Amino acid sequence: MKAVQNIAIAVGLAVFGLPVLAQAQEGEIGYAKGALAYDALMAGDNQAAVEKLESGQLKDPAVMINLGQAYARIGRTGDAAKMFTAAMNSNRNFDLVLADGQVINSRKAAEIALNTLNGRLASR
């Protein structure tokens, strides 16, 4: 059985078109408070999110995806793409519960984020 975790990815993917509830639920179930920089991402403090996530578990797909989202938001698109690719190719994967209640596999979430990032860059 896969672990279901509610993480800040919903915040980052909202930038790329997935829906998010205006009042997000608990952001980091299964993680120590702040481990996924949920509050920083919700507040739009992307630099603080980068600093927090870079000091975290970079082998965790949730951390990689959130770090990729924070990188994308501050214009570090190459680094964002690397994080999304690493999350897609990770030997770990699990279901994530987005703030809107949607459940999505971490690999699929990373793939969506990477494809959307690439689409935005191509349309410039």
Side-chain angles (χ1 to χ4, degrees):
M1 174 184 256
K2 294 180 183 176
V4 177
Q5 300 175 0
N6 182 3
I7 65 164
I9 186 171
V11 176
L13 289 179
V15 173
F16 297 131
L18 291 181
V20 174
L21 295 175
Q23 301 241 337
Q25 37 192 322
E26 270 305 303
E28 298 170 324
I29 296 172
Y31 290 86
K33 177 127 176 86
L36 298 175
Y38 181 80
D39 291 338
L41 287 168
M42 286 295 292
D45 191 350
N46 300 305
Q47 190 56 47
V50 166
E51 291 167 11
K52 175 65 179 173
L53 293 165
E54 284 180 338
S55 68
Q57 297 293 321
L58 291 180
K59 295 190 185 288
D60 184 320
V63 172
M64 290 185 271
I65 292 168
N66 283 356
L67 182 54
Q69 296 297 350
Y71 281 155
R73 289 177 175 188
I74 63 172
R76 292 175 57 181
T77 56
D79 291 329
K82 288 177 188 175
M83 286 293 109
F84 298 145
T85 300
M88 284 172 38
N89 295 328
S90 174
N91 61 356
R92 295 180 60 200
N93 75 93
F94 42 81
D95 288 341
L96 309 172
V97 179
L98 305 184
D100 68 353
Q102 180 181 359
V103 178
I104 188 169
N105 183 271
S106 58
R107 288 186 178 139
K108 184 65 176 174
E111 179 184 9
I112 291 168
L114 180 62
N115 289 341
T116 305
L117 176 67
N118 287 337
R120 286 181 175 227
L121 292 174
S123 68
R124 287 185 180 177

